[in-house]
């Protein structure tokens, strides 16, 4: 499905700016949490921040003061190791207090390094064993429809999870049950723990595979806030209690926004030297707040 992106109107510009600002605040939270531990899945969270931001700043129906509100949309993080990214989003959304982020990964924290739904407000499922998120999302979407709920289920997947058979069983199940209240998104960062996704187990052509499964499919630059909002607009417009599920395939760059980390060789789990955190923070600030930065550094807008 092709998405056309005409020049944004004033209101659309405000939406895009809001999502971009959300992602910027998230990225700073990620650096702060990473520094608290000296290491972590920092690259994924930076790369996927724009995806989380499009959902939380623009689309998700939630109440910050009542994470269990029954009418909420559900956001399911399949990838437990991306928890640092979700914590950053929950803080930017006002669900987790920002000053709690400094407890990240420490004993008794509500924000452990691996996702634990019972610990963290706003976290719907525990992750860790990959390939299960979409199966849970299918059950949840089915259950909500049985209850005549208007809530949608959003499921965040990684490209590594497309190597899991259970993901494709769930994809077929979602189509079989006509789960139009289900919207999935895949972070295509082209990387896994064992190396590039293309080398571990090739998954292309991803678009065609999901289309063959009976889903509405959108593929976009996952670091472009306007393209993300456009894709979620189309997916939500297509959404219905009984219809096709939708998937947004998001091509992202690991470490996006911090050039020092964008080019790390071992990017799946980053160890970052003590002196480098200040550089990360400065690069992030320059990248998103200095209008001359993009021209001078010849990086992609
Ligand atoms: C079922 C299962 N198999 C293997 C693992 C080990 N594992 C943890 S992260 C990871 C990489 C998965 O790919 P992806 O999520 O795309 O990695 P990233 O983009 O974060 O580098 C693997 C294989 C796991 N957590 N669960
Ligand atoms: Mg990956």
């Amino acid at each position: 499905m092709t998405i056309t992106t005409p020049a944004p109107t004033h209101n659309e510009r405000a939406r895009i700016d809001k999502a971009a600002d959300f992602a910027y605040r998230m990225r700073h939270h990620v650096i702060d949490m990473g520094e608290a531990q000296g290491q972590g899945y920092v690259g994924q969270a930076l790369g996927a921040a724009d995806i989380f931001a499009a959902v939380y700043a623009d689309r998700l129906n939630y109440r910050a003061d009542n994470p269990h509100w029954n009418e909420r949309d559900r956001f399911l993080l399949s990838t437990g190791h991306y928890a640092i990214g979700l914590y950053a989003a929950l803080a930017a959304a006002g669900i987790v207090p920002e000053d709690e982020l400094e407890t990240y990964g420490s004993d008794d924290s509500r924000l452990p390094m691996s996702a634990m739904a019972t610990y963290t407000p706003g976290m719907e499922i525990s992750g860790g064993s990959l390939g299960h998120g979409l199966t849970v999302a299918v059950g949840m979407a089915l259950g909500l429809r049985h209850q005549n709920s208007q809530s949608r289920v959003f499921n965040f997947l990684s490209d590594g999870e497309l190597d899991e058979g259970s993901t494709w069983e769930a994809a077929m199940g979602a189509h079989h049950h006509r789960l139009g209240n289900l919207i999935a998104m895949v972070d295509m960062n082209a990387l896994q723990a064992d190396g590039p996704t293309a080398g571990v187990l090739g998954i292309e052509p991803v678009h065609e595979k999901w289309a063959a499964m009976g889903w509405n499919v959108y593929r976009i630059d996952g670091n472009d806030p306007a393209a993300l909002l456009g894709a979620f607009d189309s997916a939500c417009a297509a959404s219905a209690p009984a219809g096709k599920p939708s998937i947004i395939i998001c091509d992202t760059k690991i470490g996006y926004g911090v050039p020092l980390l964008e080019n790390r060789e071992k990017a799946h789990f980053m160890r970052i030297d003590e002196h480098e955190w200040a550089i990360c923070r400065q690069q992030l600030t320059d990248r998103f707040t200095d209008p001359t930065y993009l021209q001078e550094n010849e990086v992609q807008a």
Side-chain angles (χ1 to χ4, degrees), residues 131-139 155 157 161-162 164-180 182 184 186 206 208-217 243-247:
H132 293 286
L134 193 60
T135 63
V136 179
V138 165
N155 178 220
L157 298 147
E161 288 190 286
L162 303 190
E164 299 276 358
S166 50
T167 297
W168 297 106
E169 292 173 41
M172 285 190 283
H175 174 249
H176 174 80
H177 293 292
R178 310 291 294 160
L179 296 179
L182 174 60
V186 190
V206 176
E208 285 82 347
K209 282 185 176 127
W210 286 94
M213 292 285 166
W215 287 53
N216 294 318
V217 190
K244 279 185 171 192
S246 293
I247 186 150

Side-chain angles (χ1 to χ4, degrees), residues 52-72:
F52 284 100
V55 176
Y56 274 90
D58 194 75
R59 272 292 160 197
L60 204 72
N61 197 16
Y62 67 93
R63 286 190 179 163
D65 59 351
N66 182 9
H68 298 292
W69 176 48
N70 203 37
E71 315 288 303
R72 72 191 183 281

